Amino acid sequence: MTLPAESDHPVEVEGIAAARVYWNLSAPALYEEAVRRGEAVIAAGGPLVCRTGQHTGRSPNDKFIVREPSSEREVAWGTVNRPMEPRHFDALYRDMVASLAGRDLFVQHCHGGADPQYRLPIRVVTEYAWHSLFARNLFIADATERGTADSEQAFTIIDSPSFKADPGRHGSQSETVIALNLARRLILIAGTSYAGEIKKSIFSVLNYLLPLKNVLSMHCSANIGADNDVALFFGLSGTGKTTLSSDPERGLIGDDEHGWSDRGVFNFEGGCYAKTIRLSREAEPQIYATTQRFGTVLENVVMDDRTRALDLDDDRYTENTRAAYPIGFISNAVPEGRGGHPKNIVMLTADAFGVLPPIARLDAAGAMYHFLSGYTAKVAGTEKGVTEPKATFSTCFGAPFLPLHAGRYAALLGQKIARHQARVWLINTGWTGGPYGTGSRMKIGFTRAMIRAALSGALDNVGYERDLWFNLDIPTTCPGVPADVLKPRLTWSNGADYDAAAAQLAGMFTENFLRFDAEVSPEVRAAGPTRA
């Protein structure tokens, strides 16, 4: 049997004189190639299991944007958006092209953006077959196979894990590099096998392009109810964004990246990239089911060598185990990936200090304050050197992926909330009854009940009390949730200990927000903690 390869196109692609180019292979064909080349194995149930080596997550310190005239004035340069000189990018491109000469390559033509008016054509050129399947799963398949990806508007990714960058020659920090050239519409990824870099590089591009067109790009999930009411879920990793948006009673528009235009909300992607560590069949049945079927790519998930059975609880390689699958694997996914304007916006945080209320209603100023803050907390054991709860503030819930100044995204959100009268909620999926190590994680059943009540309007006419530490409005009752759970201080055995922890976190909020003081209104500035 002859393995499939495109024969009516030249073997040169993006300047690379390849031995063979595999164009737009299907999932079964990419399985065959990945297994034949020793890149992956097939687990029980059918998923493709891959290892990413030393890089089991993103390498934020190795990401660069080329400093060039067309985008230089728009980019918020700094520790997130590190500049790379054009001459270094040119050298990197030439050396990567030379290193890939004579090799087999895989190409997928896709696009980002389910709304045709804002669609971004993408060509993904990869060294690994499984990276090609990842791109096919995560982006939206190009129905024309080739046409739009060859347009002048297309962005191209060249992904070569085997290539090692030279900091002296290429201006990189290490042997790993992710370099975006917005003028040349070209992205180079080298020295890492972590496939998430492919996904997030395009997200960064869309976060640059769309706000310039008055479209808010968002690191959030989105779903839609029977009455066509759209809800957005903002949240950093570990807050439950993917889990909580996968609600069998609501259609899933998307789990991670969206745009909000004058036409409504639209998904950037055609797939999902869910964390799988300690995934539960009972608590997250839809996501769990994707780990047991053909077509899903599993990164760094532990598998029994003999039986090929998965162990989703084993974190020997990383806590950041992942599943990449087409969104159609979720039974209630919205095929068109679009919805109207949001009626509700949920901002998720996993507060490991155990002091934030499990649900609070935010007014317009509070929404802006918490959007710019982007708070969650890391817990002991999830990162080297973290031995106690550690506050993390990621502007707009997606700072690593935002090329523009934060104020541009915040202003767009504020305008759209006001125009469409969206209700905004802050939900803590973290700890209650004490901090991490003393208290317990908020029961997911309670969190789902709170979200259900918020989205249904059941909390519109209940009483509210002001949290004096964090300046938040807390509902006094919520269907399906004990009243004492709603008031975090009451869940602690010692009120003085709660006050001390609340004072510590309130101070962190205030200190973090100092960088925004000069660019926000007095109302937004006053929406933060009042006792810090």
Side-chain angles (χ1 to χ4, degrees), residues 69-259:
S70 72
S71 61
E72 183 174 7
R73 292 186 178 181
E74 299 288 356
V75 174
W77 301 107
T79 56
V80 170
N81 299 309
R82 293 173 172 82
M84 174 179 278
E85 294 305 313
R87 62 186 176 84
H88 285 139
F89 183 87
D90 292 344
L92 177 63
Y93 171 74
R94 288 194 303 269
D95 292 347
M96 283 183 67
V97 165
S99 74
L100 291 170
R103 301 192 183 194
D104 290 353
L105 296 176
F106 299 86
V107 179
Q108 290 289 333
H109 292 130
C110 322
H111 58 259
D115 187 334
Q117 184 169 326
Y118 301 106
R119 182 166 293 169
L120 177 70
I122 308 165
R123 170 182 279 184
V124 187
V125 181
T126 64
E127 183 179 0
Y128 292 167
W130 80 265
H131 277 190
S132 192
L133 179 57
F134 176 93
R136 186 178 180 87
N137 282 353
L138 265 296
F139 298 130
I140 301 171
D142 188 341
T144 64
E145 285 289 312
R146 197 148 187 262
T148 58
D150 279 348
S151 76
E152 292 183 356
Q153 299 304 309
F155 265 77
T156 295
I157 298 173
I158 301 177
D159 171 61
S160 177
S162 69
F163 182 84
K164 307 302 181 186
D166 178 347
R169 178 171 170 77
H170 303 129
S172 61
Q173 296 266 27
S174 70
E175 293 182 338
T176 298
V177 64
I178 303 95
L180 283 64
N181 191 319
L182 295 166
R184 291 179 58 178
R185 307 183 84 83
L186 180 60
I187 300 164
L188 305 177
I189 302 173
T192 174
S193 295
Y194 181 65
E197 300 287 12
I198 298 172
K199 161 189 162 72
K200 289 304 186 185
S201 65
I202 290 298
F203 185 41
S204 297
V205 168
L206 289 167
N207 281 328
Y208 173 80
L209 295 174
L210 291 179
L212 301 180
K213 300 178 180 178
N214 205 39
V215 175
L216 175 61
S217 53
M218 305 174 291
H219 187 210
C220 71
S221 56
N223 64 24
I224 186 169
D227 295 330
N228 291 321
D229 59 304
V230 171
L232 302 181
F233 297 78
F234 289 93
L236 303 176
S237 179
T239 58
K241 176 165 56 71
T242 296
T243 296
L244 294 169
S245 59
S246 296
D247 183 339
E249 297 180 6
R250 297 174 63 85
L252 179 66
I253 298 173
D255 86 321
D256 196 45
E257 303 171 5
H258 291 82

Side-chain angles (χ1 to χ4, degrees), residues 455-477:
L455 302 192
S456 69
L459 299 183
D460 289 356
N461 298 310
V462 303
Y464 283 81
E465 293 183 358
R466 177 58 59 97
D467 181 294
L468 297 181
W469 275 110
F470 296 99
N471 201 15
L472 297 168
D473 290 327
I474 305 173
T476 55
T477 62

Side-chain angles (χ1 to χ4, degrees), residues 368-370 372-373 508-518 520 524-525:
M368 297 294 288
Y369 183 93
H370 285 279
L372 284 167
S373 296
M508 292 177 181
F509 264 98
T510 301
E511 182 180 0
N512 172 72
F513 207 78
L514 288 174
R515 56 191 169 132
F516 302 117
D517 271 2
V520 300
V524 173
R525 196 178 307 120

